[in-house]
Amino acid sequence: MAKNLLDALVTKLTATNVLNGDDIRAILALPVRSRRLGPHEPVAQDGARPDECCLLGEGFAYRSKNTPDGQRQILSIHIPGEIPDLQSLHLKVMDHDLMTLSSCTLGFIAHSALRQLNIERPQVAAALWRETLVDAAIFREWIVNVGRRAGPVRMSHLLSELRLRLHAIGRTQDGTFDLPITQGELGDCLGLSTVHVNRVLKDLRAEGLIRTDRAIFRILDEEKLQTRGQFDPTYLHLS
Amino acid sequence: MDRWKADQMTLYYFSLRDNRGLFADENGIDLRDEAAAQEEAARVLSDMARDAVYAFKGANDYKMSVEVRDDAGPVMNASLTFELCKSRD
């Protein structure tokens, strides 16, 4: 189990970082406490002071913030191989929630082990740093998305992004990917009401850009969807 | 959603109408009461209004409405109208 979890991390990191054999062996030797969680469960909550980071091995997770009147904004969606709460290594208090979206296999790695790894393997430290920078780039793009784009453009942008990120770790097949997300949750990602999300999805289906079947999204015309979503993949820094 | 037990929820159906036509949401949305349905209606109207800014280009009026019903029949109707009156030609 620990091996699979750490393999996911290696897959994610080596997709965009150059690591040598010693770096990879050091990652695979990390002590991991694995845990399975069902969908919609908290991993690290706003205000918590975790002493370990959570590696997402299998499934999807998201980070979110709630307003005092009960509104939720989803800030980012996370895919296998990512460590969504890596910031807790240096920032003691969680300033948002980390939740599972689907059933997840998670690997918890003690901060002390990650600190030691960063000291011993500077290329791994640089790769993890780079991951958090790409994280921030994705947040910037999401701000533009919820602040300045029309509904169908927001949705097209989000689906284009997820398709490319999942493709980079080998988790798309022929333009399809599994994303077990409700329309309410899509609304919380995009700052749209659930009803409007339904209409937007219907529009994109009618335009021949996507097909949806419960949790499975099929992108029928990636280029057109990207144009519809004003999507420029530079911010993902995948190459 | 998890704060409310499923048996306390009502299934509401929203039909949207604007210059682009009719969209009827046939799956419905589980909401706790009529006040929550009203809030969702207001939210979807504001979403429609924002998208209309991008879509309507040159029209002099744009009417958006939401009909809400549950399994017992119509519950409420909400609408927004954009009207343009130019002061000079």
Side-chain angles (χ1 to χ4, degrees):
Chain A
M1 187 73 105
K3 172 85 171 66
N4 293 344
L5 282 161
L6 292 167
D7 279 340
L9 176 59
V10 169
T11 301
K12 180 69 175 54
L13 290 181
T14 53
T16 47
N17 295 274
V18 179
L19 298 176
N20 69 26
D22 287 343
D23 293 328
I24 290 169
R25 273 187 288 281
I27 292 171
L28 294 176
L30 279 168
V32 186
R33 178 174 67 83
S34 78
R35 201 177 154 202
R36 281 197 60 84
L37 281 183
H40 318 295
E41 290 197 50
V43 181
Q45 285 181 289
D46 202 341
R49 294 171 171 267
D51 57 7
E52 49 191 7
C53 284
C54 173
L55 163 63
L56 185 51
E58 214 35 74
F60 291 90
Y62 64 87
R63 289 196 270 176
S64 63
K65 273 188 98 93
N66 290 293
T67 61
D69 59 348
Q71 297 291 306
R72 177 178 64 174
Q73 178 66 45
I74 293 182
L75 307 163
S76 56
I77 290 181
H78 292 277
I79 63 174
E82 295 184 344
I83 306 178
D85 62 348
L86 190 57
Q87 69 164 52
S88 72
L89 190 58
H90 296 294
L91 303 177
K92 288 197 182 86
V93 187
M94 285 292 289
D95 54 27
H96 59 273
D97 294 311
L98 171 59
M99 307 278 296
T100 61
L101 183 61
S102 62
S103 295
C104 284
T105 306
L106 305 171
F108 291 89
I109 308 168
H111 285 167
S112 53
L114 280 170
R115 280 203 190 90
Q116 196 58 36
L117 176 70
N118 283 346
I119 291 165
E120 287 166 8
R121 310 299 319 169
Q123 286 309 314
V124 177
L128 292 176
W129 186 3
R130 187 181 188 281
E131 289 293 294
T132 64
L133 293 175
V134 172
D135 241 21
I138 294 175
F139 285 137
R140 286 193 288 277
E141 197 60 40
W142 278 46
I143 292 172
V144 178
N145 214 35
V146 299
R148 292 293 177 212
R149 294 187 178 123
V153 185
R154 294 180 195 192
M155 182 69 77
S156 303
H157 193 280
L158 176 66
L159 295 177
S160 296
E161 174 187 306
L162 286 167
R163 143 96 184 116
L164 268 195
R165 286 168 62 199
L166 288 167
H167 181 71
I169 57 165
R171 291 194 185 237
T172 53
Q173 243 183 348
D174 193 25
T176 62
F177 55 86
D178 237 326
L179 181 67
I181 192 168
T182 66
Q183 297 185 331
E185 287 161 341
L186 278 172
D188 288 345
C189 290
L190 301 173
L192 300 176
S193 63
T194 306
V195 178
H196 201 63
V197 163
N198 291 350
R199 188 190 200 189
V200 162
L201 286 173
K202 189 185 174 220
D203 285 346
L204 296 181
R205 282 193 297 264
E207 290 170 35
L209 300 177
I210 60 165
R211 197 179 296 159
T212 55
D213 179 17
R214 290 189 196 89
I216 299 173
F217 287 78
R218 173 182 287 275
I219 291 175
L220 300 174
D221 190 329
E222 186 170 20
E223 210 179 305
K224 270 195 193 148
L225 187 72
Q226 290 187 354
T227 305
R228 189 80 167 93
Q230 304 172 356
F231 183 81
D232 173 350
T234 309
Y235 74 100
L236 293 174
H237 302 277
L238 286 170
S239 52
Chain B
M1 191 75 99
D2 47 10
R3 280 168 296 166
W4 309 97
K5 291 205 178 72
D7 60 5
Q8 295 174 317
M9 307 289 269
T10 306
L11 198 53
Y12 289 96
Y13 304 90
F14 294 77
S15 295
L16 317 183
R17 204 183 290 274
D18 60 18
N19 292 27
R20 290 175 46 215
L22 170 74
F23 168 73
D25 179 31
E26 277 138 25
N27 300 327
I29 297 175
D30 272 322
L31 295 167
R32 64 183 184 277
D33 55 21
E34 217 175 284
Q38 182 177 329
E39 200 176 309
E40 181 69 16
R43 273 181 214 293
V44 74
L45 273 178
S46 73
D47 286 344
M48 291 163 80
R50 190 198 40 250
D51 282 4
V53 172
Y54 299 90
F56 90 152
K57 292 195 183 95
N60 286 332
D61 61 85
Y62 205 96
K63 190 165 165 54
M64 295 149 271
S65 66
V66 186
E67 282 168 42
V68 186
R69 60 185 172 81
D70 60 15
D71 288 322
V75 177
M76 66 184 79
N77 197 350
S79 65
L80 267 184
T81 304
F82 173 87
E83 249 180 43
L84 184 72
C85 304
K86 288 188 178 163
S87 306
R88 49 180 76 168
D89 293 325

